[in-house]
Amino acid sequence: MTEVDEFDAAFFRRWLTRAAMVVDREAEHLAELDSAIGDADHGANLKRGFAAVTDVLEKDPPETPGAVLVAAGRQLISTVGGASGPLYGTLLRRTGKALGDGPSVTREELATALAAGVAAVAQLGGAQVGDKTMLDALTPAAEALGGSFAAARDAAERGALATVPLQARKGRASYLGERSIGHQDPGATSSALLIAALAEVAAA
């Protein structure tokens, strides 16, 4: 199947709606991962946040890809407690702002914008790849998105799995020291779900 060259606001609304469905389905699994090395609230927080995002996008649909992501990011920041709200909110808002106000964007433009969003997350959290955070999934995904949506999905999934043997160096999990080794990072896992939802909508 050939990939579409341009993606409009409706595509981005479908992505976030799909992401909300996936987060809802996987919320319990995310909570289990978070219970091992965090507060066990990652699944519930994201479920609530993405449900609020879909409500906002349905009630007042933004008309450009950038505006969709900015609105979603703003909603996550205001709805989700803990670290994940500001981090995911920053990811989407910064990506949306980088996309500008054009009516549609290419996959290459999205890859560049997503990289800007990931960089903003790194700056906010003071983390880098290898610290056992969402960046372990998002950074390779942004790099691979220039190739294809499927490549980005696969890179994110590999990145999330690669957090298992790592020792956490940022966030609440870092307090556990070596006891954080052997557990998959919930933030990297939810980030991989977000990218998987993107690839799924792109392939539909």
Side-chain angles (χ1 to χ4, degrees):
M1 182 174 171
T2 56
E3 225 175 59
V4 180
D5 292 330
E6 297 273 338
F7 303 92
D8 60 7
F11 171 84
F12 283 84
R13 292 196 300 269
R14 288 197 302 275
W15 169 28
L16 294 172
T17 300
R18 182 62 194 159
M21 292 171 61
V22 173
V23 166
D24 182 73
R25 186 187 71 210
E26 298 293 330
E28 206 169 298
H29 176 57
L30 292 173
E32 286 172 10
L33 292 175
D34 198 30
S35 68
I37 56 174
D39 293 334
D41 60 357
H42 188 61
N45 283 345
L46 281 190
K47 180 177 177 177
R48 183 174 69 251
F50 275 95
V53 165
T54 55
D55 285 346
V56 162
L57 296 181
E58 282 173 13
K59 286 174 186 167
D60 188 16
E63 295 181 359
T64 67
V68 170
L69 295 184
V70 169
R74 191 181 299 127
Q75 189 64 25
L76 287 173
I77 290 170
S78 66
T79 308
V80 181
S84 54
L87 291 169
Y88 268 107
T90 295
L91 174 71
L92 295 180
R93 276 184 67 184
R94 185 67 188 86
T95 301
K97 286 180 178 177
L99 287 176
D101 53 10
S104 64
V105 299
T106 65
R107 178 171 43 74
E108 289 80 6
E109 287 169 338
L110 176 56
T112 301
L114 182 61
V118 173
V121 170
Q123 186 174 20
L124 178 64
Q128 58 187 359
V129 172
D131 285 344
K132 200 182 183 93
T133 70
M134 62 198 293
L135 291 176
D136 288 302
L138 289 174
T139 301
E143 291 169 354
L145 186 55
S148 70
F149 287 105
R153 176 199 64 212
D154 294 346
E157 288 174 357
R158 284 195 302 271
L161 287 172
T163 63
V164 174
L166 298 177
Q167 179 173 329
R169 302 194 185 283
K170 291 291 174 183
R172 190 168 184 82
S174 65
Y175 303 156
L176 295 175
E178 290 184 358
R179 285 181 294 148
S180 64
I181 295 171
H183 300 283
Q184 187 165 318
D185 182 66
T189 305
S190 58
S191 295
L193 293 175
L194 184 68
I195 301 300
L198 173 64
E200 194 175 329
V201 171

